[in-house]
Amino acid sequence: MNMIQTPKRWAITSAILFASFRTTFASTSIYSACQAPTPDPLTGCPPNTFWVSQTDCGADFTTIQGAISSLPDNNTNYTILVMPGIYVEQLNVTRSAPLTILGQTSTPNAQESNTVTVYWAAANANGKFSDNAFTSVLTVAPTLEASLTGSGPTGYPVPADTPFGCIDFRVYNIDFRNVATEFSAGPSLAVSVSRANAGFYFSGFYSYQDTVYVGKLGNAYFYRNTIAGQTDFLYGFGTAWIQHSQIQMRSCGGGVVAWKGTNTTFPNKYGVYISDSFLNAANSSIAPSMIGKCYLGRPWNAQHRSVYLNTYMDASIRPQGYEKWSSNPLTDNYNNYTVMAEYNSSGPGFNLSARIAGNLTIEFTAKQARVYRTPLDVFMTPGGAQPDISWIDPAAYTW
Ligand SMILES: *[C@@H]1O[C@H](CO)[C@@H](O)[C@H](O)[C@H]1NC(C)=O
Ligand SMILES: *[C@@H]1O[C@H](CO)[C@@H](O)[C@H](O)[C@H]1NC(C)=O
Ligand SMILES: *[C@@H]1O[C@H](CO)[C@@H](O)[C@H](O)[C@H]1NC(C)=O
Ligand SMILES: *[C@@H]1O[C@H](CO)[C@@H](O)[C@H](O)[C@H]1NC(C)=O
Ligand SMILES: *[C@@H]1O[C@H](CO)[C@@H](O)[C@H](O)[C@H]1NC(C)=O
Ligand SMILES: *[C@@H]1O[C@H](CO)[C@@H](O)[C@H](O)[C@H]1NC(C)=O
Ligand SMILES: *[C@@H]1O[C@H](CO)[C@@H](O)[C@H](O)[C@H]1NC(C)=O
Ligand SMILES: *[C@@H]1O[C@H](CO)[C@@H](O)[C@H](O)[C@H]1NC(C)=O
Ligand SMILES: *[C@@H]1O[C@H](CO)[C@@H](O)[C@H](O)[C@H]1NC(C)=O
């Protein structure tokens, strides 16, 4: 059974570390100079940077996957700088050593001005694929098996001896769009992270169903991203923290989130945490037809954990908040392991009396919310040792 309590000592340590991040680091990413357009595109880039362009014959590669595939997995850090353009390709990162992919931009703090988009079109409808994994625009996982969703309450049985994948994968200023359909018609992943650490900064993820997948032993941090979808568009088994981001509902279906937890012998915090963010209808044309129709989430299995922290919710959100999953009998919050919670929500989508009457959404007290205060509290190591979150860009705490 999952344990929800954090030892007190831990909470104190994490508060101290978090405070030091806030004050120690500069307010822009260390990659801004590399990302800025310059006559020699590699000006300001770290050593071991390759560049990708579809039009400049001086570039190292014409496709992003061409650059990724060229990298040796030999404990050397690499960076890939991508020139503006529309790249129609599936990306697959299996290496374990650090890799950073940058979109070129003169405005790195503005996701809406991103110049690089990666497109793919694949939805797993009517058994078209043997697994959702094959639909993803970007996959970060050491092996194919590590990335498989599988089925049933425990999903695909990933072999225990599968190695960990990328210890530090980062993307800055790139949008990923799975354009299989313009409505929910089967899983169509924009990103898939399993058995790997991945940080996404000022990036965008767009599809309609199962847009963001954080699979088993996946750790993913999203900072100032836009994530747009319709049905269960944040899903998985791993741990995701979404900070200062725009969650855009393109219609209503299932829930915004659907997570499968795992019973482990050590305490875990697998789940999705949406912090200081905004849940809005994707645009004003569709907003009126969505009022009161979108659920915050639904439990993909009984160990589901999702927590909204300090988040604004527009009128699209159902007054009752979360919903049950009709085919899943284990959906009440009184079993002490299903966590469908919120703390300090605001906006017209937050109706406290309806939440309480619905008897499904947990309204955290300040004390309960403190257990999930920062990424340090959730990206746990087996055994409960202080987690290593050095793969998260420290500047992302201060921007
Ligand atoms: C996890 O443990 C709970 C409580 O013992 C049990 O009811 C549930 O079926 C288990 N879930 C899985 C996916 O094994
Ligand atoms: C990794 O491979 C690259 C390309 O062959 C080489 O330049 C680099 O020195 C290697 N790094 C290590 C740690 O061996
Ligand atoms: C390589 O990346 C790791 C993890 O991000 C970092 O600790 C290390 O300093 C980097 N090494 C170099 C030579 O940049
Ligand atoms: C990613 O690449 C690995 C290694 O080539 C391959 O085994 C795997 O099938 C690929 N994953 C996907 C989802 O295509
Ligand atoms: C609004 O969003 C919907 C759903 O994504 C889309 O079909 C429609 O084209 C958008 N309308 C405008 C005006 O952007
Ligand atoms: C509640 O959330 C708002 C943002 O919506 C934030 O400004 C405020 O500080 C939060 N209050 C607490 C007690 O965390
Ligand atoms: C809320 O639901 C639980 C089981 O899911 C039930 O035991 C309890 O009586 C319900 N409370 C109210 C006030 O309906
Ligand atoms: C859940 O925890 C509460 C408080 O510790 C306890 O009273 C209740 O019996 C527990 N319920 C289950 C189903 O274990
Ligand atoms: C909140 O929900 C209750 C039903 O529980 C409803 O009567 C009330 O009108 C709602 N309030 C607002 C402001 O929508």
Side-chain angles (χ1 to χ4, degrees):
M1 166 149 117
N2 290 357
M3 290 171 56
I4 308 173
Q5 290 305 319
T6 303
K8 201 179 261 165
R9 182 172 49 81
W10 234 56
I12 293 166
T13 319
S14 70
I16 293 167
L17 280 179
F18 193 62
S20 70
F21 272 126
R22 277 185 197 285
T23 51
T24 311
F25 293 89
S27 63
T28 48
S29 145
I30 53 171
Y31 299 107
S32 309
C34 178
Q35 290 179 278
T38 45
D40 172 358
L42 294 178
T43 302
C45 294
N48 300 321
T49 303
F50 288 116
W51 64 295
V52 177
S53 168
Q54 294 167 327
T55 53
D56 193 321
C57 54
D60 298 306
F61 297 94
T62 54
T63 65
I64 304 169
Q65 185 60 36
I68 294 170
S69 300
S70 77
L71 303 176
D73 192 2
N74 68 352
N75 208 20
T76 296
N77 301 1
Y78 281 94
T79 304
I80 296 170
L81 174 65
V82 186
M83 297 297 111
I86 288 171
Y87 296 78
V88 181
E89 43 177 323
Q90 266 181 310
L91 309 182
N92 182 1
V93 174
T94 56
R95 82 191 306 257
S96 56
L99 172 61
T100 296
I101 307 183
L102 306 171
Q104 192 184 58
T105 176
S106 53
T107 52
N109 290 357
Q111 183 264 332
E112 64 278 11
S113 306
N114 286 351
T115 66
V116 176
T117 302
V118 186
Y119 279 90
W120 194 249
N124 194 12
N126 307 316
K128 182 163 185 202
F129 298 98
S130 60
D131 193 272
N132 301 348
F134 299 103
T135 67
S136 194
V137 186
L138 165 65
T139 300
V140 187
T143 62
L144 174 62
E145 280 185 291
S147 69
L148 298 180
T149 299
S151 60
T154 55
Y156 185 80
V158 181
D161 62 356
T162 303
F164 200 74
C166 204
I167 58 165
D168 187 337
F169 176 70
R170 306 183 191 196
V171 173
Y172 294 74
N173 300 96
I174 298 183
D175 292 349
F176 298 86
R177 291 179 179 266
N178 189 328
V179 293
T181 53
E182 290 301 315
F183 53 88
S184 197
S188 50
L189 280 50
V191 63
S192 165
V193 177
S194 302
R195 261 187 152 78
N197 300 325
F200 302 97
Y201 306 93
F202 302 96
S203 292
F205 297 96
Y206 305 81
S207 85
Y208 282 81
Q209 186 170 332
D210 299 333
T211 309
V212 168
Y213 174 67
V214 180
K216 291 183 175 173
L217 300 186
N219 296 317
Y221 183 73
F222 299 85
Y223 184 77
R224 295 201 191 268
N225 282 233
T226 295
I227 298 171
Q230 172 183 350
T231 304
D232 303 335
F233 58 103
L234 297 165
Y235 93 114
F237 297 88
T239 309
W241 185 285
I242 298 170
Q243 183 65 35
H244 286 315
S245 290
Q246 303 288 338
I247 313 280
Q248 294 187 353
M249 295 166 280
R250 306 176 106 184
S251 182
C252 304
V256 172
V257 308
W259 223 258
K260 269 184 190 170
T262 305
N263 290 330
T264 53
T265 53
F266 54 89
N268 78 64
K269 297 265 180 52
Y270 301 148
V272 57
Y273 305 89
I274 298 159
S275 174
D276 303 304
S277 291
F278 300 86
L279 262 63
N280 287 303
N283 60 54
S284 56
S285 324
I286 56 174
S289 65
M290 290 164 60
I291 290 173
K293 292 190 180 153
C294 291
Y295 288 107
L296 290 179
R298 55 181 188 161
W300 197 24
N301 77 4
Q303 286 75 38
H304 170 114
R305 185 184 288 119
S306 60
V307 183
Y308 291 89
L309 300 155
N310 308 322
T311 286
Y312 174 91
M313 301 171 180
D314 84 357
S316 313
I317 297 300
R318 288 241 186 196
Q320 79 169 69
Y322 285 89
E323 71 165 328
K324 296 193 177 191
W325 191 315
S326 51
S327 60
N328 181 349
L330 299 164
T331 57
D332 72 75
N333 274 326
Y334 297 84
N335 55 30
N336 296 343
Y337 50 79
T338 307
V339 178
M340 301 198 290
E342 66 184 330
Y343 172 67
N344 187 32
S345 296
S346 61
F350 176 60
N351 180 331
L352 182 59
S353 63
R355 296 285 210 272
I356 292 167
N359 192 20
L360 209 53
T361 304
I362 303 174
E363 295 300 321
F364 270 166
T365 61
K367 189 176 170 208
Q368 286 172 304
R370 268 201 295 279
V371 174
Y372 307 100
R373 222 168 52 82
T374 82
L376 276 163
D377 298 320
V378 305
F379 292 114
M380 299 185 72
T381 53
Q386 184 68 46
D388 173 12
I389 58 161
S390 59
W391 52 275
I392 298 179
D393 185 333
Y397 290 111
T398 52
W399 285 336

